[in-house]
Amino acid sequence: HTEMRHIFALLALSLCLAIHAGKPWKLSLTDPKEKITLDIDLYEESIEVPDMEMFGPMNGYLGGNIYGVWAVTSFHIKKDKAILRLSNDLGSETQEAELTQTSDSTYTLKLLGSTVVKRAEGRKLHKITPTLKMFKNRD
């Protein structure tokens, strides 16, 4: 009887791990140095984007210490990379970004082409660093 419970527990744990391993593109990341966050769910539109709630759930957003909020408006997955198209809260600018996993808990977000994502410093807007080292916030 005890052996059967152990087998059941092991199967349940295996199933949980398999489900988690099957969704590497649903996560919350932060670059602590730049204070920038990326929340994504590339499986379904399930994320409420701050200040864009009127559009309903989306696939994610880039926020934090940047000017405005940048929503994920489209994406495609290429092998082990996700190419994200981000649009600012006004819809007037877009930025392509490549997200690559570099370890179990570390990712690199590289802004492609000319960097249009900016942050306010004093009374001026400055481009952010084009490559961000991001860490998982949760599983």
Side-chain angles (χ1 to χ4, degrees), residues 57-136:
M58 300 175 114
N59 288 108
Y61 67 94
L62 185 70
N65 189 23
I66 57 175
Y67 186 72
V69 177
W70 291 72
V72 175
T73 53
S74 66
F75 64 89
H76 64 276
I77 297 171
K78 261 173 125 172
K79 295 188 181 187
D80 60 343
K81 298 177 181 185
I83 308 299
L84 309 173
R85 183 174 207 62
L86 305 165
S87 295
N88 70 351
D89 46 2
L90 301 174
S92 60
E93 293 183 291
T94 61
Q95 175 77 60
E96 292 234 337
E98 177 183 85
L99 182 64
T100 308
Q101 186 171 11
T102 53
S103 76
D104 282 348
S105 61
T106 309
Y107 289 73
T108 300
L109 183 70
K110 184 176 181 183
L111 304 180
L112 304 175
S114 178
T115 302
V116 294
V117 179
K118 298 175 181 155
R119 81 168 85 243
E121 293 176 10
R123 294 180 174 246
K124 292 190 174 188
L125 292 176
H126 296 275
K127 293 178 181 179
I128 66 166
T129 306
T131 302
L132 302 170
K133 186 173 184 181
M134 307 197 87
F135 299 91
K136 271 185 168 181

Side-chain angles (χ1 to χ4, degrees), residues 41-59:
D41 181 350
L42 303 185
Y43 302 101
E44 62 181 298
E45 294 178 342
S46 68
I47 298 176
E48 291 290 331
V49 178
D51 300 325
M52 297 178 137
E53 294 87 354
M54 66 284 229
F55 298 113
M58 300 175 114
N59 288 108

Side-chain angles (χ1 to χ4, degrees), residues 8-70:
F8 179 73
L10 188 59
L11 286 172
L13 178 62
S14 298
L15 180 62
C16 288
L17 290 173
I19 288 170
H20 176 69
K23 293 209 173 194
W25 301 114
K26 180 177 182 174
L27 40 101
S28 177
L29 302 168
T30 299
D31 179 323
K33 182 179 172 196
E34 299 292 329
K35 297 180 179 85
I36 295 173
T37 59
L38 176 68
D39 286 322
I40 59 170
D41 181 350
L42 303 185
Y43 302 101
E44 62 181 298
E45 294 178 342
S46 68
I47 298 176
E48 291 290 331
V49 178
D51 300 325
M52 297 178 137
E53 294 87 354
M54 66 284 229
F55 298 113
M58 300 175 114
N59 288 108
Y61 67 94
L62 185 70
N65 189 23
I66 57 175
Y67 186 72
V69 177
W70 291 72

